[in-house]
Amino acid sequence: SLCVSFALVHRIKIKRVVAAIMGRPILLCWCITALFVPLSQAARLAVIGDFGQNSAGERATANMVHSWANSPGIDAVVTTGDNSYPSGLLSEMQTNVGNYYHRYMFPFFGSCTTPPCGSQDKVNRFWPCPGNHDYGDRCPGSLAGYLTYMPVNGKAFYDVILGDIHVFLLDSDCNQNFPGGSGNSANSVQAAWLKAGLAASTTRWKLVVFHHPAYSSGSHGNNVYMQWPFEEWGAHAVLAGHDHHYERILRPSGFPHFVNGFGGAGLRSAVNLVPGSVVRVNMEYGAQLVESTDTTLTFKAFVSSTGYPLRDCYQIVLNEGVRIYNNCPQSPALPPPP
């Protein structure tokens, strides 16, 4: 029928609707209710962390991200925090953030060294979360510079739907535990917001992003207070920063926690390997590329040296609603991690 053809062309779910005319049941249309089902849209996200230091490492990482944006394109840049060193002041933001990533930001409140400044189609594609340095690296601290400069509508934590990926960006800093904050434990107001948001989301893929990693082999180590039941609540992966390296840590089910803190600030080595740590990169700067399809969510870690080599690739496959976690079919051959 015409209605079935419409459904197939537009890739929407269809539903059999039967009505009675003069006492006889007839098929009215298979897709009357399907018009309200959002279409699936694949997404490509660049993820950077611990980057805002106006360094050669930040410049190299930004150039790699721009190369992705130029071809074949990215839908957004997501950050895992520590966007501006050392203190997150408004006066630092232009040098540490805007000069490198203004082309993805709208509204953009600064100037830039390579005009035109800001996102030219007036669509924001820069979605950060705050880190401890954005608060001045102290508790109590101030997030005023970040909230003024960043295109986050004055929010320390929020969510955004990017194609078929629903991204929840949290504030894991200790400043959330002061009066007026929303807490950072699994029993906090912020956690209740996340749990409800994950449960209500109808988007195919769900990512949780924050700064202080629940698990890390770096010098900061595990942040036990952020070991929330993310998988149980419906998330597909967690991305964090804080420790200045890249790491993939798998829970027993295969559920991944990524440490993405190799975006430009001084690199540091892993010092205390945690259970489930399978890949670590701590001698090279880089970023992640997250790519979605209807059935797969792929996490690729590239470094910003010549040729932008791939250092890690992990994939989540949905098979009739069941998650299958695995290395990518053509994962890079890596030496034993340091």
Side-chain angles (χ1 to χ4, degrees):
S1 71
L2 177 63
C3 192
V4 172
S5 298
F6 176 87
L8 293 174
V9 169
H10 292 276
R11 299 173 65 207
I12 58 178
K13 296 180 179 179
I14 56 179
K15 183 177 180 179
R16 185 182 178 94
V17 179
V18 178
I21 296 179
M22 299 181 65
R24 299 180 63 184
I26 64 170
L27 177 66
L28 286 181
C29 186
W30 282 48
C31 58
I32 289 176
T33 60
L35 298 178
F36 300 98
V37 178
L39 304 184
S40 175
Q41 180 184 347
R44 301 179 82 242
L45 312 179
V47 184
I48 57 175
D50 296 82
F51 62 96
Q53 204 168 51
N54 190 30
S55 65
E58 179 177 12
R59 186 173 302 108
T61 299
N63 287 339
M64 182 173 69
V65 171
H66 299 335
S67 76
W68 299 342
N70 293 336
S71 178
I74 57 174
D75 297 286
V77 176
V78 175
T79 89
T80 62
D82 276 3
N83 304 275
S84 184
Y85 291 83
S87 303
L89 299 175
L90 184 59
S91 59
E92 300 170 358
M93 291 288 176
Q94 181 59 49
T95 299
N96 293 337
V97 183
N99 283 350
Y100 296 94
Y101 293 104
H102 67 85
R103 63 187 284 185
Y104 310 103
M105 301 172 73
F106 183 83
F108 178 64
F109 300 107
S111 58
C112 65
T113 55
T114 55
C117 305
S119 173
Q120 293 305 289
D121 61 3
K122 298 184 179 180
V123 174
N124 183 51
R125 295 183 177 84
F126 192 81
W127 303 102
C129 73
N132 52 293
H133 281 278
D134 299 308
Y135 275 102
D137 198 23
R138 61 184 184 272
C139 279
S142 173
L143 198 59
Y146 170 97
L147 294 177
T148 299
Y149 191 85
M150 296 295 189
V152 295
N153 198 28
K155 297 179 179 179
F157 60 92
Y158 60 97
D159 64 309
V160 59
I161 296 176
L162 302 168
D164 59 1
I165 304 178
H166 198 158
V167 185
F168 295 83
L169 296 108
L170 307 181
D171 183 353
S172 59
D173 196 74
C174 55
N175 278 278
Q176 280 293 334
N177 293 320
F178 285 90
S182 297
N184 62 6
S185 72
N187 298 316
S188 65
V189 171
Q190 186 175 189
W193 169 85
L194 174 66
K195 181 179 180 180
L198 288 169
S201 177
T202 58
T203 309
R204 186 177 305 276
W205 304 104
K206 304 169 188 65
L207 300 182
V208 179
V209 181
F210 51 87
H211 185 60
H212 301 81
Y215 307 95
S216 172
S217 299
S219 57
H220 290 299
N222 294 348
N223 292 274
V224 177
Y225 66 90
M226 288 306 300
Q227 292 176 4
W228 304 0
F230 299 107
E231 183 179 17
E232 177 184 332
W233 290 352
H236 290 94
V238 170
L239 299 98
H242 199 40
D243 274 322
H244 294 185
H245 68 284
Y246 168 83
E247 185 172 14
R248 170 159 56 95
I249 299 165
L250 302 180
R251 304 302 295 149
S253 67
F255 181 88
H257 285 253
F258 296 96
V259 178
N260 180 332
F262 64 149
L267 297 170
R268 295 193 291 259
S269 297
V271 295
N272 184 24
L273 300 189
V274 298
S277 177
V278 291
V279 177
R280 295 173 296 281
V281 177
N282 57 25
M283 299 296 289
E284 301 169 291
Y285 293 102
Q288 284 178 280
L289 186 63
V290 180
E291 299 174 302
S292 69
T293 70
D294 286 349
T295 58
T296 61
L297 187 64
T298 305
F299 301 84
K300 299 176 180 178
F302 294 88
V303 295
S304 55
S305 54
T306 302
Y308 304 146
L310 179 67
R311 290 290 184 256
D312 186 32
C313 188
Y314 193 65
Q315 198 167 70
I316 305 171
V317 178
L318 286 182
N319 183 5
E320 298 183 351
V322 177
R323 302 182 190 185
I324 301 172
Y325 300 101
N326 214 335
N327 292 328
C328 298
Q330 295 181 335
S331 293
L334 289 173

